[in-house]
Structure formats: C-alpha cells, structure tokens
Amino acid sequence: MSASNLPAEASALLGRLGVPAGLVTGGARPVASPITGEVIAHVHDAGPDVCAKAIDTAHAAFLSWRSVPAPRRGELVRLLGEELRAAKADLGLLVTLEAGKTISEGLGEVQEMIDICDYAVGLSRQLFGLTIATERPDHRMMETWHPIGVVGVISAFNFPVAVWSWNAALALVCGDTVVWKPSEKTPLTALAVQALYERAAKRFGDAPAGLSTVLIGGREVGEALVSAPRVRLVSATGSTAMGRAVAPILAARFARALLELGGNNAAIVGPSADLDLTLRGAAFAAMGTAGQRCTTLRRLFVHDSVYDVLIPRLKAAYASVRVGDPREDGVLVGPLIDAASHAAMERALSDARAEGGAVHGGERVIVAGQGVYVRPALVEMPAQTAVVLRETFAPILYVMRYTDLQAAIDLNNDAPQGLSSSIFTNDVREAERFCSVTGSDCGIANVNIGPSGAEIGGAFGGEKETGGGREAGSDSWKAYMRRATNTVNYGSSLPLAQGVKFDI
Ligand code: UN1
C-alpha cells in the first residue's frame, strides 16, 4: 500500500474541482475512503426543510426551463461536457478515492459522463414525434413531446457520477429539472459534479436557480424525493430491496419510476468459442470494479467440451490478478466498498461450500487500516443452487458445466433479475439463438463480449427484478418527457372518428 495522506489528497482535489470547503468539513456525516477506511471528509445532511425547498425551487425552475428551446438547453449540457473534459483527471481520481475504482475505471466513468453529454447535445435537436395517418378528411394527427417536470435521481456508490449524468444530461435537454440524491457512501464526487455543473451554468448565463441540485443524506432524503408530488419521475439505481420500497410509493401517486436494480448476469461459453477472447472477456466482466457493477459477470456456463481448457486458465488469472491500492499501476482489483460487503461475500462463499461448491480464492489479502481487499473468488458449482441465484455484490464468479445450449439459456433466464448476459461462440446459429425471442431474457444480450462495460449509445437496463427501466441511449429520452397526441381539424366539417353520428 503506497504511503499517502488520503484526507489531504481528497481535500486538494475537492478544492481544485471547486467544492467549497464548508460543504465537506464540519458536517455530521463522515465519508470514508475504501482504500484505507480513513475518514476523508465530513458532509452535511440536507434536513427535511432543505429537501422540500430544493424540490420547490426545482419545480419553479422547471416552469421557466420547459420554455427554453431544446437546442439552447443542449448548450448548457455542452458546457457541462466541456467542464467534465477539463476536470476528467481530478474527478476520475476522486472517484478512485471515494469508490475505490482503479484509476482507469475512474477515468472511464468520467468519460461515460462526457459521452452522454455529447449524446444529449445532439439529442437536443432530435426530440421528435410522429405524424400519423388519420381516418378523417382534412385532419392531421401527430404527437408532440413535452418536458415532464422535476426528475429525482437516486444513485448508487458503484457508479457514483456516471449514473447521474445518464439521467441529468437527458433530463436537462428534455426540459426537466433534476434533484439528485447520491449514495451516502459517495457524496464527495456528487458535490464535485455539482460544482462543475454550477461552473457550466454560470457560463451558460441564464440558467434558472435550482435547475440541478444535489441533496446529501440517507434514506430520508430518498423518501422525500419519492413521496414529493412535484417529482414526476424518479430514476433509482440500487438494490432490488430499494426498488421494492420505492416502486409502490411512486405507483400510489402515479409518478413514473425508472428502476435500475439488481443483476445476476451470466455468460455462456459454447464449444466453438475463441477461448483467448473469452478468458479476457470473462476476467474483466467478473473481476473488474472488484465485482461491484450491476453488470458484473456472476454466473458462467461453460460447455463440457471446453470446460477443462478454459477453467484452469481462468483459475490461474484469478490467482495472479493484482489486488491492491487502486491508485497503483498494474492493480486491476481495488477494495470492496466496506466491511458489510465483505461480510456478504463471506456468507455467500460459506453457503456455496455448503451447496457443494469448490471455492478458489476469496480470501482477504491485504489489511490496510479498515480497507477491505479480497482475492476474487471463482467457485465451481455442481449446479445452479440457491446461492448462485442470489446476487452478492462482490467478486464471486460461479462456474458450471453444460451440454445443451437451450438448457444453458434456460439457466441464464432462471435468475430473478434480467439485466445483462453474453454468449461466447463462433457459431452463428448459437449467437442468433441467444439474441432471439427464445434466447436471453435480459435487457442486454451480447455476443463475444462480456455482460459489463456497456457504452452509452444503447438503452441500458433490464427486466424482471432489475426493474424494467432504460436509461442512456436509443429512445430512453422518452421516459423523461410526456407525449401528447394532437389531432388537428383544418376543414370546416366535423367528421367523428369510427363513423359515429351525433347531429344536433
Ligand atoms: C452499474 O453497474 O450500475 O455496463 C452500471 C456497465 C456500465 C454501467 C454499469 N456502463 O458496466
């Protein structure tokens, strides 16, 4: 572990990123870095009054922002993208300090923010609806997309800044305003992003106050957002348990929910797979980000004919991958976020043993203060038992043999969640089968790449207990707008639809 002074490093970064010192000192909420467990800042929780005021201000901002032409709204997001480009190194390093990602992954996360800003700028000139053939003469039917209102964003520790940007960049060009509750584990990166947003807003000139706000705090802040009548859409990323708490409250008040919940992602390795490529793809997807992505590869089904070639090589990669301080060159696996996550990993490994699994790795390897470092675990399972079907947010890969492709696809689909999935194969029939109607039931189904590391151009999200939401690219923007169907009569008679007569 390299010698360093994390609190000083964090405070220098926060200063460079423009976060006022008063926001990160003197508060009641300590913020620990998973690198050593050291407390690196103390932030202030937003009380109920601050939350209520932020939502009111966001609503007032919406009333003017909705009338700003969308391409002009895009200009604000363009400026935000510029600020992110200029601050990429500092913000990426802050992600490393606060979330424990490797330097490359911290930078990658900020790059994902830049990408979505670019995407949203283009989108700001493409928010179009359809014109539809009408059955009535001298009529025109069309649809118009309008801003929806205040969007609440609840994000998780593992993508502490990118998830906000997927939502905020789209919401802002769509004419909405944004109130963000980041994970209580990662408030510093959120405050830094807010500072960058404020720089962009200042350069923009006439952005209404409260267009984008961050509220630091625990569960009560999330509850304030979810239950506020003025928050018309809540985009929430986190556990399925969190989604189960959030969804009924939104449903009861007919607000929109965009849920990005658990994932228990699988990959199938067919007999024809390129095993070099599979090895790298599986290793990154399973061990990258210390197994703490929603899209992390957690289940690997390997065809009997290649199992004894691939798995020894994968085990060797597990045994040799460098675990350690995520700031060090060559380290590919950083710390777990906290001791609770380590406890969950230990429980899962013990259950796996009890269910007949052979565990390779998984032991705690470095003790750096309170920092929790583990060697990723590869677990050979005799079958898809209960523990395999349970998402454990830690670097555990369950490996199983299969002989029949459809049986492997069924196993892929047996998980209660449906986020991401992959097949490694050079057989076009297998690849197409996997992507077809009888293939993977997940929101993401890949061929010859792992299930993680999606780019922003596609819609991101999944089915079943993953929550069904889609964010980022494709037509995900529609979740942030309301659709009006307009029928315009430019004639002088009034023919009724379906031939109904009503002559007075
Ligand atoms: C998440 O883990 O919450 O596809 C999102 C990926 C990233 C996003 C992960 N682009 O792995």
Side-chain angles (χ1 to χ4, degrees), residues 112 158-159 163 166 237 292-295 451-454 460:
E112 212 164 349
N158 66 327
F159 275 81
V163 167
W166 303 340
T237 302
Q292 300 174 117
R293 290 193 192 210
C294 305
T295 49
S452 73
F460 181 87

Side-chain angles (χ1 to χ4, degrees), residues 311-359:
I311 297 308
R313 290 181 67 190
L314 197 53
K315 277 195 226 162
Y318 266 69
S320 64
V321 71
R322 220 169 123 202
V323 181
D325 187 325
R327 295 167 297 174
E328 278 174 25
D329 264 1
V331 165
L332 295 179
V333 178
L336 297 184
I337 189 68
D338 57 19
S341 127
H342 184 225
M345 179 167 177
E346 298 267 84
R347 266 197 311 278
L349 292 179
S350 135
D351 289 353
R353 283 190 189 95
E355 291 169 23
V359 176

Side-chain angles (χ1 to χ4, degrees), residues 21-36:
L23 294 185
V24 288
T25 49
R29 184 178 289 277
V31 185
S33 167
I35 297 176
T36 58

Side-chain angles (χ1 to χ4, degrees), residues 112-303:
E112 212 164 349
M113 303 177 81
I114 295 168
D115 294 343
I116 195 77
C117 285
D118 286 356
Y119 175 87
V121 175
L123 185 66
S124 72
R125 290 183 183 269
Q126 297 178 72
L127 301 169
F128 52 80
L130 301 171
T131 306
I132 301 144
T134 123
E135 64 191 54
R136 286 169 281 188
D138 296 342
H139 280 55
R140 183 162 66 90
M141 184 156 58
M142 60 185 177
E143 54 185 30
T144 316
W145 292 87
H146 296 297
I148 193 172
V150 180
V151 175
V153 177
I154 297 175
S155 60
F157 79 84
N158 66 327
F159 275 81
V161 287
V163 167
W164 170 81
S165 69
W166 303 340
N167 287 282
L170 263 55
L172 288 174
V173 299
C174 288
D176 302 328
T177 58
V178 181
V179 183
W180 178 20
K181 185 230 170 276
S183 163
E184 44 269 65
K185 292 171 189 165
T186 54
L188 300 181
T189 41
L191 291 168
V193 167
Q194 181 65 20
L196 296 174
Y197 162 78
E198 276 161 16
R199 276 188 203 171
K202 197 164 169 203
R203 286 169 61 202
F204 181 76
D206 53 355
L211 197 53
S212 187
T213 335
V214 61
L215 294 174
I216 303 301
R219 193 187 166 98
E220 64 296 340
V221 173
E223 282 167 0
L225 271 182
V226 169
S227 49
R230 282 181 159 162
V231 178
R232 297 308 312 150
L233 162 68
V234 173
S235 172
T237 302
S239 65
T240 295
M242 181 275 283
R244 276 195 220 288
V246 161
I249 304 172
L250 294 170
R253 64 181 186 84
F254 301 104
R256 282 192 198 169
L258 196 171
L259 301 176
E260 300 285 354
L261 310 174
N264 192 353
N265 316 293
I268 296 172
V269 184
S272 66
D274 175 335
L275 294 184
D276 292 337
L277 183 149
T278 304
L279 180 72
R280 288 181 49 224
F284 167 65
M287 295 191 277
T289 325
Q292 300 174 117
R293 290 193 192 210
C294 305
T295 49
T296 291
L297 174 61
R298 307 197 182 282
R299 300 177 294 145
L300 189 65
F301 302 108
V302 185
H303 193 269

